Amino acid sequence: MNIRLARMDDLPGMQATNLQNLPENYLMKFWIYHAATWPQISFVAEDHKGRIVGYVLAKIDDESADKGEVHGHVNSISVLRSYRRLGLAKKLMLLSQEAMVDVYKASFVSLHVRKSNKAAIGLYRDSLGFEVVSVEQKYYGDGEDALNMRLTMKR
Amino acid sequence: MAPSSKRALPSKEATLFRELLTLYETRQLKKGVKTADQILKKFPEHGGEDPSRSAMARDLPTTHFRNPVYERPVPSAIRQARRRHWLVKKGMRFDLTSHICWHVFGLIQKDEKNYEEALKSYTQALRFDKENINILRDSAQLQTQLRIYDGLVETRHTLLRLRPSLRQHWIALAVAHHLNGNLSSAKKILEHYEYSLKNIPDYDVEHSETLLYHVRILEDLGEYAEGLSLLDINSKSRAIVDRTAIMEFRARLLSKLRDTDASNAWRALIDHNSDCYEYYRGYLASKDVDLDNPSDESRAQALAILQEFASQLPKAATPRRMALSFATGEQFSDLIQQYLRSGLTKGVPSLFADIKGLYTEPQKYKAIQEAAEAILQENTPPEGQCSHGEPTTYLWTLCFLAQHYSYVPRATPSQPLPSPDFERALALLSTAIAHTPTLPELYTLRARVLKRAGDPLGAAAAMNEARLLDGQDRFLNTKCAKYHLRAGMIDEAIQFFGMFTKKDAANPGADLEEMQSTLYLIEAGDAEYRLGKLHLALKRYVAVDKIFHEMEDDQYDFHGYSLRKFNLNIYLNLLAWEDRLRSHPAYVTAALQASRIFVKVHDDPSLITAASSSVRLSDAEKKARKKAKKAASKAHDDKKPATASTADDTVENTPAKDDDPDGVKLLGAADGLDRAAKLLQPLESLAASNIDAWLVIYDVAVRRKKYLQAIKALKHAQSLDSEHAELHTRLVDFKKRASAFPQVPPAPIGPLVTTSLATLLPEEVSLETYNSLYLQRHSGCAPAVLAAARVLHSLGSAIDEVDATLFTTLADDAQLDIVTASKILDFLKAIKSSRVEEYRLTCVSRFPLSTVFMTQSELSQKQKQTAEGTTALVEAEKLEVVP
Ligand SMILES: CC(C)(COP(=O)(O)OP(=O)(O)OC[C@H]1O[C@@H](n2cnc3c(N)ncnc32)[C@H](O)[C@@H]1OP(=O)(O)O)[C@@H](O)C(=O)NCCC(=O)NCCS
């Protein structure tokens, strides 16, 4: 599988992958907004025909930049089921994290994950070293709690 | 100076008004309304404010995104549109010479996505206030949206002249030149801009992006050395902060300069991301390996390089996989064996999809099969025992081979591959399922094999079994729903989709449509189409078109936003992508299918009445069902608490009512063919190599009596594949139509039609002969035989002659697939042949696994069984959830 920076023409494929994999979905404008604002930190995996099979969509939060608190946030990540457990998600995350530090000097990376999502929690905590900072009650539309996770970045 | 309007505002209020426009632009709506009130208090009759106040009084967040689950368009906005228009018109009466009125009018037209008219209003506004920065800026955005690039350059120039101190105005002019195709002017502006820059903060991402844009322009201009030195200087000084971008530009520029350092640059990228194909390709090219047409020598060289990488980068999958594409013969056999062994031991479900691209020649096909069979042998547990080799290796090898044997070769390559053996694949999967009944992948594979074998019902049932093994997984859920659509079980499919769509949506389909799921819309449209519900199919396809309109509108805000952010490279990519947007397969399919429907109802208007009566019938059915359900549930749970919905909720959250929910009006639209032409128009440039597109373009053009367009379409189709079956029927159709013209169309069209016709098909031969010659050339190809039979029928041949022609497709040496066979069967039914049953029964025995050739009652029976199975499983699932 080919892994590379996300381009504009990947967005429909990323959006379609998201709709097949996760219940949290976003309009195309949201995807465009992220790619146009932080073009260096979202990545895709594609098959041999150039079809998107996995992606990570990320953003930068610099609202408290004055306090040196620029940080990255992972909005969405997923891999089509038939391409899971190949290490794709991990590779996508690592590239994104590295770019967040490199381009934006992010001091940490944050994300939300469903309390029940074992695969994703395994990825973040066991493979990548994220830690749970807090639990956000009823964060998701269906009432499930979210774990708020964080990874401090070394510069 | 701008002419002073008799109703111009005094300076304090004029300032307030400018503020108001900024507030409006930045969507600070509450503040905006307050400002408007302030002006209004003093000048209750002024032409400007009232309309803009009303334009303010709505909320459509554009650049602010929260948890998008809650992001919905606000319906009240639509309701207010009419009122706003009315208010603006009123304002205009007061003050037609006010730039403010025109500006506001333009703003509103823009918000209604009427970009052409909006630009006209802005142009009017500028007549009265030539140097108004806000109006100029808005005009520039509209000109970009409308791709009026020469006008854009002019507007950006004016803006720069008026405010040269704004950094953004320099950049905007450079981008305008770039878009207008004038790269060297863009470069000059950038040079000037960079030269005059002072006090750039350290580590400035915006400046970094601007410099990268400059490098890109130099690259596009072919000034590679200049680009490289700009890049090197600014990366050393850390003015460019994006390391990956630096490395990529460097590698590309060095390659283009044929610099010996290029391979090192690619090598550095490979170390950074060792699963990116482009980097390996760059590296190989820098070592003079011709990737497209490798000689034996470069094959060997490429292999050596890739194997070296493979040993240095044990975690990277790419070099190993790439090596397979270069290897041949013995070496291929060796490498594929290692590759399969490692994948099957690890249990990689996508292994087959990964190597499918290698199925280009029989030797490789055979080598893959032998390798996998050998691995299976090694790992098969002896009868009655279970520990021998790795149980999972055994399982994944069974899966792999099932996919191998059910592989349907693409087209007909020069060296044909074996045809699929579905029985064998299913047997392998049954063994696997008996071994491990809980692995969803085994059932999804079973589903896929059944689908290929022509049993969409069995496939849907298998997919549901997979889904039940992991109900939390939306991927399996989507697949299951999709397979039910393929099987024509739309209600069941919607029920599945609904397990993951928002509960407050009107229905699952509406939610998926709102979330812009083209996958759902295309599959649902196709399902309705197959069931003959053309109105509903059309409705879905047209919804796809609407999504593409939305995506085109989406770019609007970025014409301002991206320049403010200095994210220029990605912005230019955004525009380029938008220009090619409608080449997306979902759009192409939707446009073609919708047009086919418009053509169908044009040829047979009775389809419209049939659709509207079917809707009335199903409406009545629905009502009856609802009533029964209500009665039942009333008896059942009286104690259930009523979900409180406030009055506000119902008013605000019901979307504007669709006055044509079933698409019947759309189906009967008087201008159906014009609509089709409009849908097809983008395909002429964006799907120019798609023969189906040209065929449908012909169908529409010829019915709209646009004969020159029709000829152009036929010529394009002919240049793509002159012997295409569907083209054959069109050529004959056109000749027939032309000879039946009541009078020759006036010059220049008439004579042009006549001369072009002579180049499309021979003049001297009769259509009958023309057709029989075609049939002779393609007697072994079922689609061509069907085409020839259609022509025979249209030329008035006797039914038994048509029948006899079609029955040649059943000969042992003829190639016949399920899709063509069922088309032939449909055609036999349509011409009321007496041999329908004979053809059907032969197909039943020819395609034993397929349900496509069942009689209607057999099919209904089977569908009912599948549905009952589904419901039973779903009910059982519910029981499991409730403790
Ligand atoms: C979560 C998800 C993105 C992981 O993708 P992936 O490409 O399969 O993950 P990787 O192969 O890179 O796995 C990396 C590590 O994550 C962990 N992991 C991944 N899937 C796991 C699973 N099913 N169970 C436990 N751990 C798992 C493991 O630690 C794994 O390392 P290992 O394979 O060496 O043991 C994928 O399962 C997915 O798309 N799920 C649906 C969408 C989703 O839930 N997204 C996350 C939303 S917050």
Side-chain angles (χ1 to χ4, degrees):
Chain A
M1 262 23 75
N2 185 22
I3 296 183
R4 55 170 177 77
L5 188 66
R7 300 187 302 243
M8 276 294 165
D9 52 355
D10 293 324
L11 299 182
M14 293 163 76
Q15 183 250 15
T17 305
N18 164 265
L19 267 167
Q20 286 174 68
N21 275 330
L22 283 163
E24 289 76 38
N25 311 123
Y26 317 90
L27 295 176
M28 270 311 288
K29 192 162 182 185
F30 179 88
W31 298 87
I32 299 174
Y33 170 67
H34 280 74
T37 310
W38 304 283
Q40 314 88 348
I41 57 175
S42 290
F43 290 82
V44 294
E46 66 181 353
D47 73 1
H48 292 285
K49 286 194 180 153
R51 283 177 306 212
I52 302 299
V53 301
Y55 68 86
V56 56
L57 182 80
K59 69 169 187 172
I60 295 294
D61 188 344
D62 55 6
E63 264 165 35
S64 30
D66 42 336
K67 286 181 262 159
E69 284 274 283
V70 176
H71 74 269
H73 183 82
V74 175
N75 274 72
S76 184
I77 175 168
S78 70
V79 173
L80 291 182
R81 186 177 175 105
S82 28
Y83 296 87
R84 288 183 198 157
R85 287 321 276 265
L86 291 177
L88 294 181
K90 186 175 174 186
K91 286 173 183 167
L92 292 168
M93 282 291 291
L94 287 173
L95 284 169
S96 177
Q97 287 166 197
E98 195 179 324
M100 288 171 182
V101 175
D102 183 37
V103 180
Y104 295 99
K105 294 197 179 303
S107 53
F108 66 91
V109 181
S110 66
L111 54 83
H112 290 112
V113 58
R114 280 177 187 269
K115 224 167 72 178
S116 68
N117 193 342
K118 288 204 193 74
I121 294 171
L123 166 70
Y124 305 138
R125 194 187 49 206
D126 307 337
S127 274
L128 298 166
F130 277 73
E131 283 165 7
V132 178
V133 195
S134 60
V135 178
E136 301 202 18
Q137 307 283 336
K138 298 200 166 41
Y139 177 82
Y140 292 100
D142 56 7
E144 186 170 342
D145 297 347
L147 302 184
N148 177 4
M149 299 187 88
R150 222 179 239 208
L151 176 68
T152 306
M153 303 304 296
K154 301 183 281 284
R155 255 180 275 158
Chain B
M1 266 304 287
S4 77
S5 153
K6 53 185 184 302
R7 285 187 171 269
L9 288 165
S11 76
K12 179 176 171 231
E13 279 71 26
T15 315
L16 277 174
F17 187 80
R18 270 196 295 279
E19 206 174 287
L20 171 60
L21 287 177
T22 320
L23 289 170
Y24 176 75
E25 241 182 30
T26 51
R27 308 282 157 172
Q28 290 169 277
L29 302 172
K30 271 217 180 102
K31 267 195 201 161
V33 172
K34 257 192 211 144
T35 314
D37 278 341
Q38 240 174 307
I39 310 174
L40 264 176
K41 242 185 262 156
K42 226 168 163 192
F43 294 88
E45 288 221 311
H46 185 82
E49 318 70 28
D50 210 7
S52 82
R53 202 207 132 151
S54 64
M56 278 295 237
R58 43 196 193 110
D59 181 26
L60 275 175
T62 51
T63 46
H64 200 88
F65 296 95
R66 296 192 22 229
N67 189 343
V69 177
Y70 305 109
E71 216 181 279
R72 299 270 170 111
V74 179
S76 58
I78 304 158
R79 259 180 276 132
Q80 287 193 8
R82 227 183 269 156
R83 184 163 164 261
R84 284 202 317 272
H85 256 294
W86 178 80
L87 284 167
V88 178
K89 288 253 163 67
K90 199 171 151 200
M92 303 280 256
R93 242 199 334 262
F94 279 115
D95 197 352
L96 255 180
T97 59
S98 151
H99 66 85
I100 293 173
C101 274
W102 283 111
H103 189 182
V104 173
F105 201 30
L107 265 176
I108 290 168
Q109 286 164 326
K110 183 217 87 186
D111 273 356
E112 285 163 4
K113 325 281 185 213
N114 192 348
Y115 305 115
E116 272 104 2
E117 290 304 313
L119 185 58
K120 279 186 205 154
S121 296
Y122 278 107
T123 313
Q124 282 294 339
L126 282 172
R127 276 182 48 204
F128 301 111
D129 190 0
K130 283 196 186 58
E131 306 201 330
N132 185 312
I133 299 275
N134 279 320
I135 303 180
L136 283 164
R137 214 182 282 147
D138 282 358
S139 302
Q141 280 189 241
L142 284 166
Q143 284 165 326
T144 317
Q145 183 77 13
L146 293 164
R147 306 296 192 257
I148 305 174
Y149 290 141
D150 48 352
L152 177 69
V153 170
E154 217 168 286
T155 309
R156 292 296 191 198
H157 231 136
T158 313
L159 277 165
L160 179 61
R161 186 170 48 76
L162 294 174
R163 294 278 164 83
S165 58
L166 263 187
R167 293 210 291 157
Q168 199 199 110
H169 284 176
W170 289 85
I171 296 304
L173 179 60
V175 169
H177 277 307
H178 187 163
L179 291 170
N180 198 32
N182 191 344
L183 281 171
S184 46
S185 295
K187 174 182 136 183
K188 271 193 212 109
I189 301 282
L190 281 179
E191 280 166 357
H192 194 93
Y193 163 78
E194 282 156 30
Y195 182 74
S196 61
L197 266 187
K198 290 177 200 87
N199 311 326
I200 312 153
D202 252 3
Y203 215 87
D204 184 58
V205 180
E206 293 182 356
H207 184 55
S208 167
E209 285 293 323
T210 313
L211 289 168
L212 284 173
Y213 173 56
H214 192 167
V215 178
R216 168 191 178 147
I217 288 187
L218 294 173
E219 184 182 357
D220 288 353
L221 276 168
E223 298 176 9
Y224 306 134
E226 223 180 292
L228 189 63
S229 87
L230 183 71
L231 186 74
D232 280 346
I233 291 168
N234 286 294
S235 47
K236 279 204 191 80
S237 72
R238 303 285 280 141
I240 302 180
V241 300
D242 184 345
R243 265 195 311 135
T244 316
I246 294 172
M247 292 201 291
E248 288 191 1
F249 268 113
R250 251 194 125 242
R252 253 196 342 259
L253 289 168
L254 286 169
S255 284
K256 286 180 175 170
L257 286 165
R258 315 205 105 265
D259 191 301
T260 46
D261 232 9
S263 35
N264 288 335
W266 290 112
R267 171 73 223 216
L269 282 165
I270 291 173
D271 287 333
H272 169 67
N273 171 7
S274 52
D275 277 298
C276 183
Y277 273 63
E278 199 192 324
Y279 299 164
Y280 290 93
R281 264 186 235 120
Y283 185 87
L284 289 170
S286 77
K287 295 279 181 191
D288 283 329
V289 176
D290 180 359
L291 292 168
D292 298 320
N293 272 315
S295 62
D296 286 349
E297 197 184 327
S298 25
R299 270 180 196 283
Q301 198 191 347
L303 263 175
I305 292 172
L306 290 166
Q307 281 179 309
E308 176 71 26
F309 276 126
S311 62
Q312 285 170 13
L313 306 163
K315 283 206 188 118
T318 304
R320 266 168 266 273
R321 174 60 184 82
M322 273 185 110
L324 293 173
S325 307
F326 288 101
T328 49
E330 279 291 297
Q331 201 166 19
F332 179 80
S333 301
D334 282 352
L335 288 178
I336 192 73
Q337 204 171 43
Q338 291 170 27
Y339 195 79
L340 293 185
R341 199 176 291 281
S342 112
L344 294 171
T345 318
K346 237 193 281 168
V348 173
S350 59
L351 187 62
F352 183 78
D354 178 23
I355 61 140
K356 204 168 61 175
L358 299 169
Y359 282 32
T360 47
E361 43 192 294
Q363 294 88 318
K364 287 196 172 175
Y365 181 96
K366 207 168 136 246
I368 293 170
Q369 180 169 320
E370 282 168 6
E373 286 285 6
I375 298 172
L376 184 67
Q377 282 246 297
E378 288 163 30
N379 291 282
T380 306
E383 205 77 43
Q385 249 177 282
C386 40
S387 60
H388 185 281
E390 277 293 308
T392 54
T393 309
Y394 172 60
L395 206 62
W396 290 115
T397 314
L398 287 170
C399 281
F400 181 87
L401 280 165
Q403 293 173 84
H404 170 80
Y405 288 117
S406 59
Y407 176 74
V408 182
R410 302 242 151 248
T412 36
S414 46
Q415 302 163 287
L417 301 175
S419 342
D421 183 348
F422 298 122
E423 272 96 351
R424 184 154 187 187
L426 289 173
L428 287 164
L429 288 172
S430 297
T431 312
I433 289 172
H435 183 281
T436 306
T438 50
L439 186 65
E441 273 62 32
L442 302 179
Y443 301 85
T444 58
L445 286 179
R446 205 176 123 74
R448 199 175 305 150
V449 175
L450 287 170
K451 181 184 82 178
R452 297 231 174 96
D455 178 8
L457 288 168
M463 207 46 109
N464 194 33
E465 287 183 82
R467 185 191 69 79
L468 284 163
L469 289 169
D470 188 354
Q472 297 284 69
D473 187 25
R474 190 174 191 183
F475 181 86
L476 291 175
N477 175 277
T478 308
K479 279 267 187 268
C480 173
K482 179 175 135 181
Y483 271 58
H484 278 78
L485 286 176
R486 293 270 170 104
M489 299 169 72
I490 297 180
D491 291 345
E492 287 79 3
I494 295 291
Q495 202 186 332
F496 289 125
F497 278 126
M499 294 174 175
F500 281 88
T501 53
K502 287 193 274 297
K503 298 292 171 267
D504 56 346
N507 57 62
D511 186 49
L512 287 166
E513 183 174 334
E514 193 182 309
M515 293 324 292
Q516 304 175 317
S517 173
T518 54
L519 175 131
Y520 156 73
L521 289 168
I522 296 283
E523 290 291 343
D526 290 352
E528 303 285 7
Y529 188 87
R530 282 188 295 265
L531 292 176
K533 298 195 175 162
L534 297 183
H535 49 295
L536 289 171
L538 189 58
K539 189 85 186 164
R540 306 285 172 267
Y541 296 135
V542 166
V544 174
D545 176 50
K546 190 170 147 259
I547 291 174
F548 280 84
H549 274 296
E550 286 165 5
M551 289 201 257
E552 278 163 356
D553 291 333
D554 283 345
Q555 68 183 300
Y556 187 89
D557 289 341
F558 295 95
H559 303 321
Y561 174 82
S562 291
L563 296 178
R564 285 199 296 280
K565 283 262 169 195
F566 294 84
N567 276 338
L568 307 170
N569 281 324
I570 193 79
Y571 171 61
L572 284 157
N573 297 349
L574 166 66
L575 295 191
W577 167 61
E578 291 278 2
D579 286 340
R580 294 189 317 268
L581 192 61
R582 286 170 193 260
S583 64
H584 192 281
Y587 181 77
V588 176
T589 307
L592 293 182
Q593 285 291 85
S595 302
R596 287 185 181 120
I597 294 176
F598 281 127
V599 166
K600 262 185 201 249
V601 296
H602 175 267
D603 291 354
D604 180 4
S606 77
L607 292 169
I608 302 167
T609 34
S612 63
S613 52
S614 90
V615 166
R616 247 178 283 128
L617 238 144
S618 78
D619 273 356
E621 236 174 67
K622 253 186 240 157
K623 260 186 208 147
R625 234 186 296 158
K626 222 179 189 171
K627 228 175 162 180
K629 211 170 167 186
K630 223 178 184 174
S633 73
K634 208 169 178 190
H636 210 258
D637 53 7
D638 267 339
K639 43 191 184 303
K640 199 172 155 195
T643 38
S645 85
T646 62
D648 228 26
D649 241 18
T650 43
V651 175
E652 283 304 313
N653 288 338
T654 25
K657 204 163 159 58
D658 187 347
D659 68 346
D660 184 27
D662 298 304
V664 175
K665 278 189 195 162
L666 185 63
L667 189 73
D671 60 346
L673 287 180
D674 298 336
R675 287 176 192 234
K678 210 164 153 206
L679 288 170
L680 294 171
Q681 204 265 330
L683 303 189
E684 293 188 15
S685 54
L686 296 174
S689 58
N690 180 338
I691 193 166
D692 290 333
W694 291 112
L695 296 172
V696 178
I697 290 171
Y698 164 80
D699 290 341
V700 171
V702 82
R703 284 164 179 79
R704 294 175 75 223
K705 306 202 168 38
K706 308 278 183 199
Y707 298 117
L708 298 182
Q709 281 175 25
I711 288 167
K712 188 178 109 188
L714 290 178
K715 282 192 172 158
H716 269 285
Q718 217 169 29
S719 71
L720 291 169
D721 180 1
S722 60
E723 295 288 301
H724 193 278
E726 297 279 316
L727 173 62
H728 176 66
T729 58
R730 261 68 167 199
L731 287 170
V732 174
D733 175 67
F734 191 56
K735 182 143 185 182
K736 274 180 63 193
R737 281 175 195 265
S739 52
F741 283 154
Q743 68 212 38
V744 181
I749 298 181
L752 259 173
V753 170
T754 320
T755 49
S756 310
L757 200 54
T759 66
L760 285 167
L761 69 179
E763 246 174 320
E764 62 291 351
V765 202
S766 74
L767 285 178
E768 284 77 7
T769 319
Y770 181 69
N771 191 43
S772 67
L773 286 171
Y774 179 79
L775 183 58
Q776 265 173 38
R777 284 201 299 278
H778 303 285
S779 58
C781 162
V785 175
L786 173 60
R790 283 188 204 277
V791 169
L792 271 180
H793 183 67
S794 78
L795 296 175
S797 296
I799 297 275
D800 47 352
E801 192 188 342
V802 180
D803 285 352
T805 306
L806 288 169
F807 270 74
T808 62
T809 56
L810 296 176
D812 285 338
D813 56 345
Q815 278 188 11
L816 181 65
D817 60 53
I818 292 174
V819 177
T820 315
S822 77
K823 277 189 192 159
I824 291 175
L825 196 59
D826 286 343
F827 181 58
L828 284 168
K829 283 182 199 154
I831 61 172
K832 304 206 164 55
S833 158
S834 57
R835 298 176 69 188
V836 172
E837 196 55 13
E838 189 187 340
Y839 197 90
R840 187 184 73 79
L841 288 171
T842 318
C843 288
V844 168
S845 55
R846 174 77 71 91
F847 305 106
L849 292 172
S850 176
T851 55
V852 173
F853 303 100
M854 285 182 167
T855 62
Q856 195 50 53
S857 68
E858 284 169 340
L859 199 64
S860 311
Q861 181 66 26
K862 174 132 191 194
Q863 219 159 22
K864 222 173 113 205
Q865 278 169 6
T866 311
E868 273 162 9
T870 301
T871 325
L873 286 170
V874 171
E875 289 302 320
E877 193 187 7
K878 274 187 203 149
L879 285 179
E880 235 170 53
V881 173
V882 181

